[in-house]
Amino acid sequence: MNREQVYHPKKFLLWLLIVASVMLFAAFTSAYIVKRGDGNWRIFELPAMFAYNTVVAIIGSLFMQLAYRAANRDELSKLKTQLFLSLIVGIVFMVCQYAGWKQLVADNVYLAGSASESFVYVISAVHLIHMIIAVGFVSVVIVKAYRFQVHKKNMLSIHLCTTFYHFVGLMWIYLYFFFLLNR
């Protein structure tokens, strides 16, 4: 790997965006903890869908890692298959997120309810935006894969996509356990 590949400007930009996102979620979760200390905090059960989404996030990262490995081995048909599976799992995550919100509403937990209710909606919505971006990123890499622009000698796009997809999955796992432990 040459120096240009290690310090590619797109990799640097991606890591800047990831750091900014980590800071955003850290600010949200810090505000959550501070606000919880004020009292008047409604405790409610998280929807089961949020737990399922945690498993979905792990499965999506697994498929994405398999796609990266296939690209690195020039196994182009496996690459395309794993990318499609990553895309489908990302879409399943989004559908499950929506179902989780519906479950919250069915349990009388609303966006305009107490601070605890609002935080869950806002933080999960911001995460959902990140997942939408990840699914879009995977779609771009799929197009590149069909144009034979993703292979052992051209790994930048799949490397960036895999890094972001893993970040989004890890962030959801953190958020789920944060909500679970800080009700």
Side-chain angles (χ1 to χ4, degrees), residues 1-178:
M1 188 177 291
N2 66 31
R3 188 175 182 165
E4 182 180 308
Q5 290 173 324
V6 174
Y7 300 107
H8 195 284
K10 289 182 180 178
K11 285 183 183 180
F12 181 73
L13 178 61
L14 176 66
W15 280 104
L16 278 179
L17 292 172
I18 287 172
V19 168
S21 293
V22 167
M23 290 172 63
L24 175 68
F25 285 109
F28 278 142
T29 54
S30 295
Y32 181 100
I33 291 169
V34 169
K35 189 66 177 166
R36 187 183 69 182
D38 286 348
N40 194 20
W41 194 256
R42 179 173 175 215
I43 297 173
F44 54 88
E45 292 296 316
L46 289 175
M49 253 333 140
F50 282 14
Y52 301 147
N53 250 2
T54 304
V55 174
V56 169
I58 293 167
I59 292 169
S61 277
L62 174 67
F63 285 137
M64 200 64 224
Q65 191 61 41
L66 291 173
Y68 182 86
R69 183 194 297 174
N72 200 32
R73 294 179 177 178
D74 279 336
E75 298 171 341
L76 300 184
S77 101
K78 283 184 183 179
L79 165 67
K80 294 171 192 172
T81 300
Q82 298 302 331
L83 284 171
F84 268 116
L85 290 171
S86 299
L87 178 74
I88 290 166
V89 170
I91 292 168
V92 166
F93 183 95
M94 292 187 283
V95 170
C96 288
Q97 188 69 45
Y98 177 73
W101 290 336
K102 285 182 72 172
Q103 215 173 346
L104 285 170
V105 170
D107 293 340
N108 296 316
V109 177
Y110 301 104
L111 174 63
S114 69
S116 59
E117 296 170 85
S118 299
F119 269 113
V120 169
Y121 278 101
V122 170
I123 293 171
S124 62
V126 171
H127 182 272
L128 182 63
I129 292 167
H130 283 75
M131 182 54 83
I132 291 167
I133 293 167
V135 165
F137 204 168
V138 172
S139 300
V140 168
V141 175
I142 288 171
V143 170
K144 287 184 169 201
Y146 273 93
R147 293 180 178 166
F148 302 103
Q149 296 172 335
V150 179
H151 48 78
K152 189 175 187 173
K153 293 183 180 182
N154 192 5
M155 295 287 291
L156 181 63
S157 62
I158 188 133
H159 176 78
L160 296 173
C161 186
T162 302
T163 301
F164 189 71
Y165 204 96
H166 288 330
F167 162 71
V168 172
L170 285 171
M171 185 53 65
W172 176 256
I173 293 167
Y174 161 72
L175 291 172
Y176 175 71
F177 285 106
F178 173 83

